[in-house]
Structure formats: C-alpha cells, structure tokens
Amino acid sequence: MPDALDATPYDALLLLSFGGPEGPDDVVPFLENVTRGRGIPKERLKEVGQHYFRFGGVSPINAQNRALLDALRKDFAEHGLDLPVYWGNRNWAPYLTDTLREMVADGHRRILVLATSAYASYSGCRQYRENLADSLAALEAEGLELPKIDKLRHYFNHPGFVEPMIDGVLRSLADLPEDVRDGAHIAFTTHSIPTSAADTSGPVEDHGEGGAYVEQHLDVAQLIADAVRERTGVGHPWRLVYQSRSGAPHIPWLEPDICDHLEALHEAGAPAVVMAPIGFVSDHMEVLYDLDTEAEAKAEELGLPVRRSATVGADPRFAAAVRDLILERAGAESGREVTPCALGTLGASHNLCPVGCCPARAPRPAAAGTDSPYA
C-alpha cells in the first residue's frame, strides 16, 4: 500500500462543471437554465438546441466528467490520498446545491473545488464562485451547517495539463500527410468572450489588453509550440484564435474566429492546419460542434487539410496534476512550505481571487475568494 498523503484540512473534493443534457427532452430545459434571466424566447432556444439535437440531444460533457471522476478516484487510491470525490454542475443534474447538501449530510466541512475551467475569466471562474455562494445561501436557508469551501487555483500552466496537449498536437501533426506536415500551422483555440470581460479578467492592475484570459492562453500556446519544435525539430507558425461566440453582434468579442482564420490561412497558402483546443478541459459540445463539425466543414470547403488535437480529458497526468494541486493547497492552508508547480513565464496563479477580479456586470456574492461572505 502507498504511504498516506495528507490533504488536511480538507475532507472532500468537489468536481464542479457546466453540465449538459442527456437526451432530447433535456435540451431546452438545460438551455433555459444556462440563459435564465436573459429573456430568450423558447423558440430561439430550440434553434440553438440544434447543436445538441444533431447528436441525439446528449452532451458529451457528462460522460467525460464521469471518466474524470473515475480517473481521480483511481489516482487517489493508487497514491494513498484518502479524499472522497463528488460531482456537481451549474446547469444540469447532478446540480451543485444538491451535491453540496449531500456532502454536508456526509459530514464534510472543508471542501476543495476543482472547476473544469483552467483559466481566469468571469464565466470560467467568478461565475462558478457565484454559483457556490448561491448554493451556500440555499443551504443556510435550510438551516444546515455550512462547509468552508476553497477553490483550486487556475491550472492552465501545470505540467499535467500542458503535457497531454503537447502530445495531442504531436499526434495530429504526425497524422497529416507527410508532404504538408512540416509546413502546417497550429491554430490554438479557446472560447471567445466579450473583450470587456477579457480586459477585466484577473487582477486588472497586473494585465494589459485582453487581461489574464488572453495572457494565460498565449503562455500555454507558446509552451506547446516550443515543445513541438524541440521534439520534432520543426517550428510551426501559430496563432491564438477563438470559437463558440454567442451574444449580440454589436458587442465586441475576441477575434479572429477559427473559421475566418482557416480562410485567411488558405488564402495565404498554408498547406495544413492543426486545431488545438487549449481552452477546453474535455471534448464537450463546443469542441464537437464548433471544431469537429463547423470548422472541419469549412476546411473541407477550402480543400485545406486539418486535424484536431485532443483535449486533456481524463488523462492520468491530469488526474495526477489535480492530486498535486490538492496537496499544494492543503500544505499552504496548514502552514507547510510548498513549491507550486507551473510552467511558462507567468508562475503559479493565486489561491484566493482578489477583490474585483473578473467582475460581473451586476455585483453578486462569490464564495472562495477574498471577498467571500462565507469565510
């Protein structure tokens, strides 16, 4: 048996994710949850739901989260980390509030949260923290004893997140025809967000245009591009591009869009492209539709060879990275000396989001930060 690893003071881990429908009847109710408060008509939601209906109304994110849960539990057991793992979602079952209620009933009082978003942004961090605050408020209204909740830091530059993506790009390059392989461009993709949200991501005083969101993605892209060059001897041109834009067309969002970028590369004579979705933890619907469906259709129309590299998913190296992040945070909380593990130029992210980090348009309470009402 492995020596026991000490996660004190934490007694449980919560995997917190977005959620997704698991059948055709779930699609519109799921989208109503996602867009609640925006006044979007049901007919419009049915149109948006076509992305899901074409795949049987099932989002792959739930199966991928179950696979990640299995990978985490397997890794913890193999390495002597006695920490139960739960799963809760923002927008579909198992719902976050229900999972926290279950965790409290099971006696857990110091909970660490792993969000399935690696980078700083409102939608990728603070909104999850707002959801946690909402759930804690609901439990408080029920008279339950509230747990103390902390969120694991952004892990975009942890080796266990970066290395699987490097391997994915290498496999995709190797899968291209030999005559176009060395000249292939790499399009690193992530979710587009409004430029105003990007500019205020992370502590505002620490970042320039595009905020921490863009800066962190660029750092990861450079890490992967450098590793590919070192391991193949070929330097591939690359650019950070965006996908999955939504919202009103008059509001500026991060650009260029992946399909526009493919057109530009084709016009410039690029022989092939590898699309590397570095902004996503798993191959969920936005990867499956926006890249594997729309972008690949655009590439076929252009006659441009493309490959799409894999996301991290349930890679054992990512599970090991989560274990490392847990022990790092537990050590810091217990006053032990810890050395955070991070690649690139930016260093390890903060453990506690500072006041004003990734602000919402309308201020709301957020847990697991310096401004948390649930300290």
Side-chain angles (χ1 to χ4, degrees), residues 169 173 184-190 221 224-225 236-243 256-263 265 272-280 291 295 304 306-309:
V169 172
L173 286 167
H185 289 235
I186 305 174
F188 294 107
T189 77
T190 191
I224 297 171
H236 292 270
W238 64 269
R239 184 169 183 180
L240 178 63
V241 300
Y242 302 92
Q243 62 175 90
D257 175 76
I258 177 61
C259 290
D260 294 337
H261 184 58
L262 293 177
E263 286 190 344
L265 288 179
V273 180
V274 168
M275 300 182 294
I278 62 172
F280 304 91
L291 295 184
L304 180 65
V306 296
R307 298 293 186 271
R308 197 269 292 172
S309 66

Side-chain angles (χ1 to χ4, degrees), residues 214-270:
V214 172
E215 185 178 44
Q216 290 170 358
H217 281 86
L218 288 173
D219 205 44
V220 171
Q222 187 69 65
L223 282 167
I224 297 171
D226 288 348
V228 168
R229 185 185 65 254
E230 290 166 5
R231 298 179 197 188
T232 65
V234 179
H236 292 270
W238 64 269
R239 184 169 183 180
L240 178 63
V241 300
Y242 302 92
Q243 62 175 90
S244 313
R245 180 196 161 121
S246 60
H250 68 278
I251 297 175
W253 283 53
L254 293 174
E255 296 178 335
D257 175 76
I258 177 61
C259 290
D260 294 337
H261 184 58
L262 293 177
E263 286 190 344
L265 288 179
H266 176 64
E267 290 174 5

Side-chain angles (χ1 to χ4, degrees), residues 314-325:
D315 190 291
R317 289 169 291 183
F318 182 45
V322 174
R323 169 169 41 87
D324 181 64
L325 290 165

Side-chain angles (χ1 to χ4, degrees), residues 34-86:
V34 173
T35 62
R36 180 168 287 117
R38 302 184 200 171
I40 299 177
K42 182 171 287 190
E43 291 307 310
R44 173 57 183 152
L45 295 180
K46 289 179 180 177
E47 292 176 19
V48 174
Q50 293 305 314
H51 294 185
Y52 292 94
F53 290 130
R54 70 181 296 152
F55 295 101
V58 178
S59 169
I61 195 172
N62 296 316
Q64 290 158 6
N65 279 328
R66 293 185 184 102
L68 180 55
L69 285 170
D70 289 343
L72 292 171
R73 289 165 178 157
K74 181 174 184 290
D75 178 271
F76 292 1
E78 289 177 348
H79 292 86
L81 179 58
D82 184 16
L83 195 70
V85 187
Y86 294 74

Side-chain angles (χ1 to χ4, degrees), residues 5-10 81 83 110 112 150 152 322-340 351:
L5 297 176
D6 187 7
T8 306
Y10 299 106
L81 179 58
L83 195 70
R110 288 297 303 270
L112 262 178
D150 290 323
L152 289 173
V322 174
R323 169 169 41 87
D324 181 64
L325 290 165
I326 290 167
L327 296 175
E328 173 195 307
R329 184 62 182 273
E333 289 293 309
S334 300
R336 300 190 293 272
E337 185 174 346
V338 296
T339 303
N351 278 331

